[in-house]
Structure formats: structure tokens, C-alpha cells
Amino acid sequence: MFNSIEETTKGLEKENYLCSRDIATTIFLAMKMEKPVLVEGPAGVGKTELGKCIAGAQGMDLIRLQCYEGLDEAKALYEWEYAKQLLYTQILKDKLSAMLEGEKTLADAVNKLSKEEDVFFSEKFLIARPILKAITSPKPTVLLIDEIDKSDSEFEAFLLEVLSDFQVSIPEIGTIKAQQKPFVLLTSNNAREMSDALKRRCLHLYIDFPTQELEERIVSIKVPECAAFLAREMVAAVHKIRALPLKKEPSISETLDWAKALALLGCEVLDSTVAIDTLNFILKYEKDIEQVEKHAGEIFIH
């Protein structure tokens, strides 16, 4: 576990994740307080990457649950492996027949069989999904619940008990408590507002697009083949582009793709012609590309 904010910053930097002090402070305190963190912000600012890098820096296993509309408890928590149960039933058919021999009525047979149902509803036939995996892990893990805003409010309500007590109830087995509390990171792109109940249980962290200086450092680390002068001009252009009324602003990952593309083309400065030809690396809508082309004289120097 991180012992200070500075150690948190350095630990994440070793995983090539450059973060601001407020991010490092929140992560450090959340781990000390054993509190989940709800990370909100625009798509592509490194929310998911933060979870991966915390796991890497701490040497912890990363367990990821990707949320989507219609996600239910069975896919997030556990489900029974019915095919395996049926297979065992077929294999043990003779044993079952012998056990039920002598029972005079169907009710008697059912009563006797019900006494053995624990055999078929045991952990042997249980498929653990991400949340149960994190709770039953013998060592600390990072549980990344990605894009929680895409799930339904019903699933969000189910999470409240898990985040409060770090335990789950399985009717056929009983209550399973966490052997080691996982460090929980929930991410949201703000597709919908999270409930107050969920926010109360979490520390809140908002990650916005990085400053120009920080984004230059990210490019220099992630794309070392991109010349320093080109990286400076390119990041400055990206920041000007983000200030325009676009349908989708360029993410950090798209900035990195653009840097790789320009480096492959042998660019040493951000030539406007090459920049316009490669705008599709950072802009995903034709209207956005047209908008940037109109302001090309203001955005690109050369």
C-alpha cells in the first residue's frame, strides 16, 4: 500500500501514468480509508488506465467488470453451472436410483433427494463473476467497475450493499464475506447522473483533460519517437481544437495516436497540410473535422 502522496505519484509514474497531485491524494487516502472511488470525467482521460496502473504499482490482481445496459447480478456476481450439474446428475443416475429405492411415494423420494441438494449447490458448481472473484480472493485486488453509468439504476442499487459490507449472500450457500477487502474503482463518463446513495459510499474524483504541460509529458513518455518540438506544437493544437464546439473532443489516447502517426511520417514540426490530412486520428465526426479546417489558420502555425 502507498505510504504517502509522493509515493503514490511515483508509483503510478513507474507504470507510465502521470497524474496531478489531487488524483494522487485521492487514491492515497482512499486506500488508507478502504473507501471506493467514483472517478468521473470525459471519455479518454485515463480513468480506466488509472485502475490498471494502481494494480500494477501495488502488485495486485486487477479484476474488471465492464458495465452495460441490462447487466444483472448473475453476470456481475455469480451463476450456477447448470450444464455441469446436469452432467453430474446423468453420471450419478445409478447412484440416485439406488438411494431412492424403497421409497413408496413420490413425496418421500423428493424429501430424501432434497436432503442431498447441497451436493449440487456447492462451490464446485458455482461460476464466480468479477464481484464474487474480488470478494473471495485470498489476496488484495483492484476491482475496476468500468462505465457504471451505462448500467441500470437497479444494478447500481445492488452495488450499494456490496460496497457497504463487502459481502454477498448466496441463498444455497450463505453469506460470503471478503477475505481481503478489494480496492474498488468505479468509472463514469457521465452518461447519466449517479445516485446520491452511491456517491455517499465513495470518494469522488473528477479527471478532466490534462494541462498542456502535463499532456506534453504524457506524449514524451508514451511516444518517445515523437520529437519534443513536434510534441509541443501538436499538444498546443489539440488544446485549441478542444476549445471549439465539437461533438467529441480529442481524448488523450487519440492525441497519442496522432503523435505516433506524425512521427511515422517523419514530421519535425506540425505542418498544416499534414495536420489536416491526419485529423481523422483525433476527430471521429466529419462535422468536427470541417469545423477544425475552418479554423486551421488559427490552430496550425506552419
Side-chain angles (χ1 to χ4, degrees), residues 17-19 31 75 79 116 127 147 157 165 181 202 235:
Y17 190 95
L18 303 182
C19 67
M31 297 192 85
K75 294 298 181 185
E79 59 184 328
E116 307 294 331
I127 301 174
E147 299 185 307
D165 304 321
K181 277 188 179 181
C202 303
V235 170

Side-chain angles (χ1 to χ4, degrees), residues 122-165:
S122 64
E123 292 184 20
K124 184 179 292 185
F125 299 99
L126 195 67
I127 301 174
R129 298 304 183 193
I131 291 177
L132 186 59
K133 279 183 183 177
I135 286 177
T136 56
S137 175
K139 58 181 183 179
T141 61
V142 173
L143 174 59
L144 175 61
I145 302 177
D146 217 4
E147 299 185 307
I148 180 65
D149 52 323
K150 287 186 177 179
S151 66
D152 304 320
S153 55
E154 290 80 6
F155 179 75
E156 185 183 333
F158 152 73
L159 273 181
L160 298 179
E161 181 184 356
V162 176
L163 296 179
S164 295
D165 304 321

Side-chain angles (χ1 to χ4, degrees), residues 87-101:
L87 176 63
Y88 272 59
T89 304
Q90 295 297 321
I91 293 171
L92 299 172
K93 186 185 293 184
D94 293 340
K95 183 69 176 175
L96 290 170
S97 298
M99 184 185 75
L100 298 175
E101 190 176 352

Side-chain angles (χ1 to χ4, degrees), residues 26 33 41 75 90 138 154 166-167 188 190 214 235 268 272 275:
T26 303
M33 297 167 67
K75 294 298 181 185
Q90 295 297 321
E154 290 80 6
F166 288 99
Q167 65 180 38
S188 168
N190 299 318
L214 181 56
V235 170
E268 294 183 359
S272 60

Side-chain angles (χ1 to χ4, degrees), residues 23-299:
I23 293 175
T25 301
T26 303
I27 297 305
F28 167 69
L29 291 174
M31 297 192 85
K32 286 290 185 185
M33 297 167 67
E34 297 185 326
K35 294 273 286 184
V37 182
L38 174 61
V39 188
E40 297 186 299
V45 292
K47 301 185 295 295
T48 300
E49 191 67 17
L50 176 59
K52 294 177 181 178
C53 291
I54 291 171
Q58 292 290 289
M60 298 162 73
D61 289 337
L62 175 72
I63 299 175
R64 181 178 178 182
L65 172 63
Q66 178 62 51
C67 297
Y68 54 87
E69 188 176 349
L71 176 66
D72 59 16
E73 293 180 33
K75 294 298 181 185
L77 190 54
Y78 73 91
E79 59 184 328
W80 293 107
E81 196 170 6
Y82 295 114
K84 190 175 180 181
Q85 288 170 324
L86 182 60
L87 176 63
Y88 272 59
T89 304
Q90 295 297 321
I91 293 171
L92 299 172
K93 186 185 293 184
D94 293 340
K95 183 69 176 175
L96 290 170
S97 298
M99 184 185 75
L100 298 175
E101 190 176 352
E103 299 299 332
K104 295 180 180 179
T105 66
L106 181 61
D108 290 339
V110 169
N111 286 336
K112 189 165 187 179
L113 190 59
S114 66
K115 292 176 183 178
E116 307 294 331
E117 65 182 10
D118 287 350
V119 174
F120 291 96
F121 287 95
S122 64
E123 292 184 20
K124 184 179 292 185
F125 299 99
L126 195 67
I127 301 174
R129 298 304 183 193
I131 291 177
L132 186 59
K133 279 183 183 177
I135 286 177
T136 56
S137 175
K139 58 181 183 179
T141 61
V142 173
L143 174 59
L144 175 61
I145 302 177
D146 217 4
E147 299 185 307
I148 180 65
D149 52 323
K150 287 186 177 179
S151 66
D152 304 320
S153 55
E154 290 80 6
F155 179 75
E156 185 183 333
F158 152 73
L159 273 181
L160 298 179
E161 181 184 356
V162 176
L163 296 179
S164 295
D165 304 321
F166 288 99
Q167 65 180 38
V168 295
S169 298
I170 300 175
E172 298 85 352
I173 294 177
T175 300
I176 298 178
K177 294 185 177 181
Q179 297 181 44
Q180 295 280 347
K181 277 188 179 181
F183 177 65
V184 183
L185 201 73
L186 305 96
T187 73
S188 168
N189 293 334
N190 299 318
R192 68 175 178 87
E193 186 70 24
M194 297 293 99
S195 69
D196 290 342
L198 181 69
K199 288 189 173 184
R200 276 199 306 273
R201 286 163 174 78
C202 303
L203 297 183
H204 182 260
L205 176 62
Y206 185 86
I207 300 181
D208 206 345
F209 291 111
T211 62
Q212 191 168 320
E213 180 186 358
L214 181 56
E215 195 158 5
E216 282 178 29
R217 288 182 62 205
I218 293 170
V219 171
S220 68
I221 287 176
K222 298 281 190 179
V223 192
E225 64 270 28
C226 182
F229 187 76
L230 172 62
R232 194 175 308 120
E233 288 194 324
M234 188 200 68
V235 170
V238 168
H239 278 250
K240 290 176 184 176
I241 289 170
R242 286 185 186 139
L244 297 174
L246 304 175
K247 185 172 182 179
K248 182 191 176 301
E249 297 166 312
S251 68
I252 299 172
S253 60
E254 286 159 347
T255 300
L256 296 175
D257 285 342
W258 201 27
K260 290 173 187 174
L262 294 172
L264 284 170
L265 291 172
C267 297
E268 294 183 359
V269 297
L270 187 61
D271 178 79
S272 60
T273 302
V274 177
I276 290 170
D277 287 343
T278 54
L279 280 176
N280 57 309
F281 278 81
I282 56 170
L283 300 170
K284 307 305 178 183
Y285 294 94
E286 191 59 34
K287 293 289 185 184
D288 287 350
I289 292 175
E290 290 173 4
Q291 179 83 299
V292 171
E293 287 175 346
K294 287 179 186 175
H295 296 82
E298 306 159 29
I299 297 171

